[in-house]
Amino acid sequence: MFGKVDLNQVVNFTITDKAVLESAGPIVEALGDLLGPTCEVVLHSLEDLDHSIVKIANGHVTGRGEGAPITDLALHMLHQMRAKGAHFSQSYFTRSKNGELMKCTSIAIRNTDGKIVALMCININLDAPFSSIIKNFTPGPAGEIRSDEGMLLESPEEQMEKNIRDTIYEVNKDPSIPSKQKNRQIVYRLYDTGTFNFKESVAMVAQRLSVSRHTIYLYIRERRHNAVAELDDMGSMNNDNI
């Protein structure tokens, strides 16, 4: 059911409301790309219900585009979420104007005051050929499969060890860094990536570099001092431009 709702209701959004709405736009595009052409993702602004769609991905699923009105079903879900204080609706089944079976859900987008200012609706066409659905989740002949070891790590300690190992390798293979400066640069980079926020990180780095903990702390203090100095310089430049 995707009928027109002629409410002629216009609500004046604040600057913050509009910023919240704008920030949700890329999520629509990302979900549309991730879930594929058989899944429509719609962002409804509640500022103007008669022209509520402000962003849509895979609009061919229902034949809608930006500027189209909100549907009576979406309004029903909005009413339920407001009544229950819910953040999203339970998934439900409906049919498009072409009679295709859809599985849908609606997500409330709230402003800083907790007021719902938009709805993000996800509509999956269950009548689409299975081959077109599975194709989106299968790498093509030239599809790149990227490795992310971080997804396979089980503990913060493993993540810390990986950061240390990778940083040591990158610095040691860089011919532009003098040999006497490599340990210092390793510590600087580990500091910048937050590795020293992990417990026992100083001891582990000292062991891997065959230096004392005192040396590691010295390099950390140097890097922290340099970072503060850089911020001060940036502040001075900004003041000069005011």
Side-chain angles (χ1 to χ4, degrees), residues 60-221:
H60 57 270
V61 172
T62 61
R64 295 180 294 175
E66 293 184 9
I70 198 168
T71 64
D72 51 357
L73 184 55
L75 284 174
H76 177 69
M77 294 301 165
L78 172 63
H79 175 74
Q80 285 190 335
M81 283 187 282
R82 280 175 171 166
K84 297 178 181 179
H87 295 290
F88 62 93
S89 69
Q90 285 188 320
S91 58
Y92 53 91
F93 294 92
T94 186
R95 290 192 179 275
S96 70
K97 63 182 180 181
N98 296 325
E100 294 172 318
L101 182 63
M102 314 284 291
K103 186 173 185 180
C104 313
T105 190
S106 299
I107 305 166
I109 307 296
R110 300 177 184 270
N111 63 12
T112 53
D113 296 324
K115 178 183 177 182
I116 301 176
V117 295
L119 287 180
M120 185 176 296
C121 300
I122 302 174
N123 309 309
I124 302 175
N125 182 3
L126 298 181
D127 281 340
F130 181 74
S131 59
S132 65
I133 297 175
I134 200 65
K135 180 181 179 181
N136 184 64
F137 297 96
T138 305
E144 179 183 0
I145 300 178
R146 302 179 182 179
S147 174
D148 184 359
E149 293 183 26
M151 296 179 65
L152 305 177
L153 300 177
E154 296 181 355
S155 67
E157 289 75 17
E158 288 181 316
Q159 182 66 59
M160 176 179 66
E161 291 175 4
K162 179 181 182 301
N163 290 344
I164 294 171
R165 182 177 66 251
D166 291 350
T167 302
I168 291 175
Y169 173 77
E170 291 171 1
V171 172
N172 283 336
K173 75 173 184 178
D174 188 343
S176 67
I177 301 176
S179 297
K180 292 183 178 180
Q181 293 295 322
K182 288 189 182 294
N183 284 353
R184 177 178 271 104
Q185 288 301 317
I186 289 169
V187 174
Y188 282 6
R189 293 189 185 188
L190 290 174
Y191 175 84
D192 291 344
T193 58
T195 299
F196 291 112
N197 292 327
F198 290 103
K199 186 178 180 180
E200 302 298 332
S201 56
V202 171
M204 180 174 291
V205 174
Q207 182 181 23
R208 292 293 299 273
L209 298 182
S210 299
V211 298
S212 67
R213 295 188 186 187
H214 174 76
T215 299
I216 301 300
Y217 283 120
L218 174 64
Y219 292 158
I220 290 175
R221 287 195 296 270

